[in-house]
Amino acid sequence: MITPRRTRLVRVADPHAFRQAIVQLCADAADAPAAPLVVVPTRGAGHQLRQTLQHAQQNAVAEAVTREQLYDRLHARLPQPPRRLTSFDRDVIAQAAARHAASSTPDLPFRLRPGLVAEILRFYDLLRRQSQHVQRFEELIEQQLAGHMGTDPGADRMLQQTQFLAETFREYERRARGTGAVDEHMLRERLVADPSPRPAVHIVVAVPDWIADPDGLYVADFDLLTRLPGLAVIDVVTTEATLESGFHERLHTWLPGLEEVAAPRGQARVRPTLITPPDPAGPIWFTYRDREEELIAIARRIRQERTEATAEAEALDVRTASPPKGQFAGQAHATRPPALDRIAVVFKRPLPYLYLADDTLAAAGIPYQISDALPLAAEPTAAALDLAIDLVASAFSRSAIVALLRSPHFTFAASRAETSALDHALSDQRYLGELSRLEALAVPKRAEAAHAAAVAVARELSPLLDARPASQQLSTLVAFFDGHIRPLAADDPYGPRERRARTAILETLAYGAAAYAAHDDPSWTIDDVAAAVRRWIEAETFAPESAPRGVHLLDDQAARFGDFESMTIVGVIEGDWPERARRNIFYPSNLMKALGWPSEKDRRAAADARFLDLLASSSREVAVSVVTLDDEALVEPSSVLDEIPRARLSTDRRPAAAASRVFLDEALTLDPVDPGALRGDAREWGEMRPARSPRGEARFHGDLPPLPPRAWSVSALETYLGCPFKFFAQHLLHLEEDPDDEEVMDPRRQGQFVHKVFEEFFRTWQAKGGGAITPANLDAANALFTSEVDRLIDRLPAAEAGLERTRLLGSPAAAGLGDAVLRMEAERPVAVVERLLEHRLTGEFAIETAGGTRTVALKGKADRVDLLADGTFRLIDYKLGWPPQRGRALQLPIYSLCAEQELARTRGRRWSVGEAVYLAFKGPRRVVPLFTNATERADVLTKAQQRLADTLDAIERGEFPPTPDDVHRCETCSFAAVCRKDYVGDV
């Protein structure tokens, strides 16, 4: 064993001394041939340490590295550095090793999935980092299970699982060594065996072990440091609180002969003040509704402190006036707020705060900087890749085609208007997928360009539909993505970030393809491609470029390395503080303990120690806040808050920042409006805004100038009764409803088909001289109806034909709509002399209203008008759904009046409505009459005429408010995207 010349434990009292000790150690090594390597937990921590070293101005130079970066540096120093296996190489090798082990393990109690293999590889790494070899792992588990074998089925399954895992590990090691490259564990062997010509001489370990810090060092890492050739000095720097959590005992076990020294005190001990809410009887932390409110409160406090400091400076005029009596000249700066880059917002879970920062801190005019990486999967470019995968996985469905062609991330030879035309063309032709059908479709001229683009894209991606080697599938995806991605404009402000995200995604796919081509190339379907690509991208992080100055947003690990005056620890809720330990999915805690895993007690003690250190990390003040809601779920304050008194900080009870116009929306919505908060063109708009019309004006609530009278269809007027704004969008703006992809017809098409069936049947029945349907010829009518249905459903896709046949002809469980229609006529005593099918009613008609008789222009089409032998007629309306409520029905009663007048004009005699019925497919009854007697008939028709007149008057007045008669209509409305319901208020 090669022992370093010096191995020291540098004990420090608090985070301030921790940073000072690191600075001093690096300054002491300034004359060494190479700067020391300082091991930190995360890249963000390294960034903070570099800034701390720069601010120290003690000629302190060091290279801050994470654990992974340490191995990178040591690998690069080898005399002939071997090729290293990438994470993709290792994943591919582990997948192959697991399949090999599964083939030799009968009745494996679980299904082998890529995600599970990733967990197996992670477990293998943890075992090796704990200095456990495969043979020893298997022996330890077998010893623990020995007393339960043969009597406990669970123990038998766990032993079988252990044998499978051990075989997977062995096969992985065999295959990995066969590549000639090294992974982390083989690299440790090479680092010890091959002395470097330029070794690392001095390493400062500024992170504890993985028990005390999730990103700490492992047993194997400490063992490597003790045996690394050429390493002369190891300094382990840590606080007393962390040592007392159990790290001290573990450290002496791993580094025998460790010399303990106390860091020299360079200055008086620094203790921040704990800022608390003003209520002495309340908690000593701030409570907010959610994380957004937390950041808003911080922004208000920062702005208020600066406003107050400016006002104080102006009042004192410190440039010319003498300081107040009893105050030294330098004391005027004691109350100045800290510079923005000396303020930190510290969290445990970065993503919510990093996503909210733009809408809170930046919106308040406060610049901020970040050092945490974001998930690559959250970048818009990743969503664009998903569109291509979804297109293939859906067998080129309409919605997937349209989504891809409309994506702003790709360039295709089709405009948005052409793509919309294709969308409707595919919907009208009931296109549900398949490349061959897409190629064969005939589309309108306005959709031809988009159709050609869709066909070209589908052909390019169609190889992914077939099972092929994984490397080929990934290469196809890379070629498509790289070939169609939109070029970035030189002046695009988001261009640099987008370019880096695209590069990261392409590299991920290319590395994956290369790994499979090199090590194992199984046959993949599109489902395999989708699962693998999404898993890889979700595992990757992406570090966006950050502003060089401003408030720091950083995690608690990085915060320990930064020198801040003010710190706010946010989101201190259960589950985040301390973070939940990642459970091992293979073994319970008692078996993991036998493998060297720590107990939950050890983890919790270390977490509490880290929190105490964090509380004392700033030099002036610290505040703690919790939230009550996280993703709209109730959450509880963390139990680590009980540790705050142990920090022994003095307190300053401070009220929340006063409400003021900090954010842009407040400057524009609170009176008086302040256009000075805006810049450029926005300011010009803001200065015009106060002169705008009052919010209460009718035109902001759905009113238009009066419209000239015109002929409306009665069905359109019934739409107005349902919701005036929907009528406006559909019949005045002529907006088209979004088409739907369904395996069966949507309600509109179903209605059209049912109307067509009955029209065809009655025309054929009349042409054959069938006449009135009576009990005597009911069977013949049923037979003809069945024949017509069978003829017409042959034109439908197979998925629809069976459903429509059952709907119309019935089943053993229920009668069909056809039976109800025919039986209704057969049961009526008065014979039908003529049927008017799909009868148009267009022209001017007289209606009676409260104001007298008036003439209105209408148009419509009655489903069926039966002229009866007694001089009356029967009006029939087919309804696939429920019949409308009588109080808002318009079509059937108005058609009745129009039919009376139209028949009188064209037939030379008077026909009166004797019966008006809905033939409904849904509801308790198939035949639903509009009225049942003469008195009811007169009442229904009178109210319907007045309702018609009121509707026409409202339309001509230009009244189109979003006021549906039933709020549930909004849930399925196709015009929600253009509706101003939120502006008008609750309906």
Side-chain angles (χ1 to χ4, degrees), residues 365-411:
I366 300 172
Y368 65 90
Q369 50 185 311
I370 62 176
S371 54
D372 280 279
L374 296 173
L376 181 59
E379 292 300 302
T381 305
L385 179 63
D386 246 5
L387 292 177
I389 294 173
D390 287 341
L391 178 65
V392 182
S394 67
F396 311 113
S397 67
R398 178 187 63 84
S399 60
I401 288 173
V402 172
L404 186 64
L405 294 183
R406 284 178 175 167
S407 172
H409 296 279
F410 295 106
T411 54

Side-chain angles (χ1 to χ4, degrees), residues 312-333:
E312 180 182 352
E314 291 175 351
L316 292 174
D317 194 6
V318 295
R319 292 171 297 178
T320 58
S322 300
K325 185 178 181 181
Q327 185 183 66
F328 295 105
Q331 288 180 308
H333 298 284

Side-chain angles (χ1 to χ4, degrees), residues 857-868:
L858 298 171
K859 55 185 178 181
K861 185 167 64 174
D863 293 345
R864 199 171 110 210
V865 181
D866 290 349
L867 304 182
L868 306 181

Side-chain angles (χ1 to χ4, degrees), residues 12-192:
V12 296
D14 55 35
H16 302 279
F18 173 77
R19 292 188 291 270
Q20 292 167 14
I22 297 174
V23 170
Q24 189 61 51
L25 289 170
C26 295
D28 292 344
D31 296 330
L37 299 176
V38 182
V39 185
V40 296
T42 63
R43 293 174 186 265
H47 174 73
Q48 294 300 323
L49 178 59
R50 285 189 289 273
Q51 291 191 336
T52 298
L53 292 173
Q54 291 171 4
H55 294 156
Q57 297 181 348
Q58 294 185 24
N59 196 29
V61 179
E63 184 177 6
V65 294
T66 64
R67 178 183 175 276
E68 289 184 1
Q69 291 172 328
L70 173 64
Y71 278 91
D72 292 340
R73 303 300 187 274
L74 297 178
H75 169 263
R77 293 168 186 249
L78 284 171
Q80 292 182 332
R83 186 176 69 85
R84 295 186 67 184
L85 292 171
T86 68
S87 59
F88 298 95
D89 292 326
R90 301 186 71 229
D91 183 72
V92 171
I93 294 171
Q95 300 283 347
R99 289 197 302 273
H100 170 83
S103 65
S104 59
T105 306
D107 302 323
L108 197 64
F110 48 79
R111 185 168 65 90
L112 206 57
R113 304 181 305 277
L116 178 61
V117 176
E119 284 296 313
I120 292 173
L121 184 58
R122 177 177 175 274
F123 182 40
Y124 169 77
D125 286 339
L126 290 175
L127 283 171
R128 294 300 311 274
R129 290 168 185 170
Q130 287 291 85
S131 292
Q132 296 280 6
H133 290 273
V134 176
Q135 185 65 32
R136 183 57 179 157
F137 150 70
E138 194 171 18
E139 291 172 353
L140 286 171
I141 296 297
E142 288 178 354
Q143 290 172 9
Q144 295 294 313
L145 298 175
H148 305 280
M149 300 306 301
T151 59
D152 184 350
D156 293 340
R157 287 194 298 271
M158 196 161 291
L159 178 62
Q160 183 186 37
Q161 171 186 278
T162 302
Q163 293 168 345
F164 162 74
L165 291 175
E167 182 59 29
T168 300
F169 297 158
R170 293 190 186 96
E171 182 65 15
Y172 164 80
E173 291 177 343
R174 186 188 68 79
R175 289 173 178 256
R177 292 188 184 278
T179 65
V182 297
D183 64 2
E184 169 196 315
H185 316 295
M186 290 186 281
L187 176 59
R188 278 195 293 270
E189 299 171 4
R190 289 288 294 271
L191 290 171
V192 172

Side-chain angles (χ1 to χ4, degrees), residues 505-561:
I505 288 174
L506 285 171
E507 286 180 351
T508 297
L509 297 177
Y511 286 150
Y516 276 103
H519 306 296
D520 183 57
D521 217 356
S523 181
W524 271 10
T525 65
I526 183 58
D527 292 335
D528 299 318
V529 174
V533 169
R534 286 166 181 159
R535 180 167 59 86
W536 291 340
I537 291 180
E538 286 170 3
E540 294 293 318
T541 55
F542 174 80
E545 294 180 351
S546 176
R549 301 187 65 81
V551 173
H552 290 263
L553 299 183
L554 69 169
D555 61 68
D556 65 312
Q557 292 172 301
R560 300 198 296 271
F561 294 84

Side-chain angles (χ1 to χ4, degrees), residues 273-276 286 301 567-570 615 621-625:
T273 299
L274 177 66
I275 307 302
T276 68
F286 293 88
R301 186 170 72 242
M567 181 181 291
T568 304
I569 306 171
V570 295
L615 285 171
E621 61 187 27
V622 62
V624 180
S625 66

Side-chain angles (χ1 to χ4, degrees), residues 408-443:
H409 296 279
F410 295 106
T411 54
F412 301 109
S415 67
R416 291 189 66 84
E418 291 165 336
T419 301
S420 295
L422 176 65
D423 187 18
H424 287 279
L426 296 179
S427 178
D428 291 340
Q429 298 192 44
R430 308 302 316 289
Y431 171 77
L432 298 176
E434 303 300 335
L435 175 58
S436 58
R437 182 149 189 248
L438 180 65
E439 293 172 327
L441 286 176
V443 299

Side-chain angles (χ1 to χ4, degrees), residues 496-510:
R497 175 169 178 166
E498 176 75 4
R499 190 173 292 108
R500 292 171 62 226
R502 291 178 180 181
T503 300
I505 288 174
L506 285 171
E507 286 180 351
T508 297
L509 297 177

